[in-house]
Amino acid sequence: MEERIKIKKLDDCIWLLDDNGEATGYLVCGEKKAVVIDTMNGIADVHAVVREITDLPLTVVNTHGHCDHIYGNLYFDCDCFLHPDDVKIAAQHMKFPEFVKLCNEKKLEMPPFKPINDGDIIDLGGLTLEIVLLPGHTPGGICPLLKEKRTLFTGDSINHHLWMQLDESLPLRTFLNNLDKISWVTEKADRILHGHAHDFDDISLFDDLRSGLKELIETKGNGNTRYSTDYKWFGGIAKQYPFGNRKSVICYSIEKLD
């Protein structure tokens, strides 16, 4: 099943791991340690894939607690970090029947999550990751900043198809305020790697999202130039609002807008 995961080298120390086009994780290798940022769906042994690239000691950092970012932790016996505010969400997703069945079939158990918090530093040897907290998509979403490579890993917190309609997602105005609080990252990073990417995005995606969110809140989705439309997803019908180049959208519920 390892062929599910396609490897793409993006930099001398960054590899993109594409899990069947459904989710994206990353491997970052320093001189002494390596970190896996998000482990995707868990169907393929992502640990074995990583070991094709490096034999360095490993650490796992999960950007948030959703299933398509944590299930692959199953294959690791190292420290796996998650912000405490997302532990409850992760626990819920780990009870999904398909994951319970997967664990039983493979005779594996999820390693426990260790807490990671805003401002924490992970030293990889020559490379450092600084944890930037960004509650929004989930209450404990984090964006690891690879300082030397000026690269921000955003999970699902900043991307081209942002889900803010979930029960656990914060109100849009709260998320906008949280984006404002970390606007300093646009001076520390030049590029973004999100949880469903195929390559780098420019850091301008941060400001595009912030501008779109501000416009959505101020116009209630009914601005003069752009309008919200229905968005069908497995949880029902929500709304979507375009931003940036109009190919990007913020998905939201009316309740999150008020």
Side-chain angles (χ1 to χ4, degrees):
M1 292 296 259
E2 281 69 53
E3 63 271 14
R4 273 184 60 100
I5 299 178
K6 304 297 190 296
I7 302 169
K8 182 178 182 179
K9 190 171 185 179
L10 300 180
D11 203 320
D12 60 354
C13 63
I14 304 172
W15 288 260
L16 181 152
L17 310 173
D18 182 345
D19 187 2
N20 202 40
E22 299 166 6
T24 303
Y26 300 94
L27 171 67
V28 180
C29 292
E31 296 170 359
K32 297 180 179 179
K33 297 179 183 178
V35 63
V36 179
I37 300 174
D38 288 340
T39 58
M40 305 166 291
N41 290 308
I43 297 171
D45 184 347
V46 63
H47 178 268
V49 173
V50 166
R51 282 299 182 221
E52 294 175 7
I53 302 169
T54 182
D55 59 0
L56 287 168
L58 295 173
T59 295
V60 169
V61 174
N62 299 114
T63 60
H64 62 294
H66 284 156
C67 55
D68 56 337
H69 296 262
I70 67 168
Y71 277 177
N73 289 22
L74 196 62
Y75 302 98
F76 291 84
D77 59 1
C78 60
D79 288 342
C80 297
F81 291 99
L82 180 70
H83 191 276
D85 288 348
D86 264 25
V87 169
K88 182 178 178 181
I89 294 167
Q92 292 170 345
H93 283 230
M94 286 159 56
K95 292 178 182 176
F96 289 171
E98 62 270 24
F99 185 63
V100 173
K101 180 181 178 182
L102 179 69
C103 293
N104 290 335
E105 287 176 348
K106 294 184 176 291
K107 295 180 173 57
L108 294 172
E109 294 183 1
M110 282 284 275
F113 292 108
K114 293 196 170 185
I116 197 164
N117 292 289
D118 188 40
D120 285 355
I121 299 290
I122 299 176
D123 184 357
L124 302 177
L127 294 173
T128 48
L129 276 178
E130 178 179 353
I131 302 305
V132 180
L133 179 64
L134 181 55
H137 174 65
T138 63
I142 59 170
C143 299
L145 172 64
L146 187 58
K147 298 167 77 171
E148 293 80 4
K149 292 295 183 176
R150 297 182 62 85
T151 300
L152 187 68
F153 298 87
T154 61
D156 287 350
S157 294
I158 300 173
N159 62 39
H160 291 283
H161 195 97
L162 177 65
W163 274 22
M164 292 296 294
Q165 81 278 17
L166 303 172
D167 288 344
E168 60 264 32
S169 299
L170 302 188
L172 297 185
R173 192 175 297 277
T174 303
F175 181 47
L176 178 60
N177 290 338
N178 290 337
L179 279 171
D180 288 340
K181 290 177 184 176
I182 68 161
S183 61
W184 59 267
V185 299
T186 60
E187 299 176 1
K188 301 292 184 181
D190 300 318
R191 51 197 188 177
I192 284 173
L193 288 171
H194 62 74
H196 298 272
H198 300 289
D199 211 326
F200 292 109
D201 273 288
D202 189 82
I203 193 63
S204 59
L205 177 59
F206 184 104
D207 286 330
D208 287 346
L209 174 59
R210 186 167 56 169
S211 296
L213 197 59
K214 188 171 185 288
E215 182 181 275
L216 169 57
I217 292 168
E218 290 177 348
T219 64
K220 299 291 186 181
N222 295 308
N224 292 327
T225 58
R226 296 187 289 190
Y227 298 89
S228 292
T229 56
D230 285 346
Y231 173 65
K232 295 181 180 179
W233 64 298
F234 62 79
I237 299 178
K239 294 288 185 181
Q240 60 181 356
Y241 191 78
F243 72 90
N245 59 8
R246 303 198 182 202
K247 294 181 180 179
S248 305
V249 294
I250 302 163
C251 302
Y252 68 98
S253 64
I254 299 299
E255 294 77 14
K256 304 290 184 183
L257 185 55
D258 293 334

